[in-house]
Amino acid sequence: MIKLEEVKPDHQDLARLIRKLDDYLLERYPADEVFGVDFNDPSTKEMVFILAYLEGQAVGCGGIRPLDRETAE
């Protein structure tokens, strides 16, 4: 069973999965076509991050970033 958990931007499992994703994307696409999360940007604190765990292991993640009062990505 997969368990979903909301986490803070500095969560270790989140950072590990995002690094793996960035590495994967940068192997396949030019760097100027890869858009990651800038964790130094203060607006990152407004994002919601979710980790997916399977048998205690972080296996997936996602983030929701508000763009304005009615729109998010």
Side-chain angles (χ1 to χ4, degrees), residues 40-68:
N40 294 316
D41 184 338
S43 69
T44 302
K45 292 180 179 162
E46 298 173 16
M47 292 181 69
V48 175
F49 293 97
I50 304 293
L51 285 173
Y53 287 93
L54 178 62
E55 298 178 3
Q57 178 73 27
V59 295
C61 64
I64 301 170
R65 176 190 342 240
L67 299 176
D68 57 38

Side-chain angles (χ1 to χ4, degrees), residues 4-40:
L4 300 179
E5 180 180 330
E6 183 177 345
V7 298
K8 300 226 184 268
D10 62 352
H11 194 283
Q12 287 182 319
D13 289 337
L14 179 68
R16 182 179 56 79
L17 289 174
I18 289 176
R19 273 193 309 274
K20 286 180 76 168
L21 173 62
D22 289 347
D23 290 347
Y24 173 82
L25 293 174
L26 289 168
E27 287 177 6
R28 285 152 181 75
Y29 304 101
D32 62 341
E33 292 181 16
V34 176
F35 301 99
V37 176
D38 179 1
F39 286 96
N40 294 316

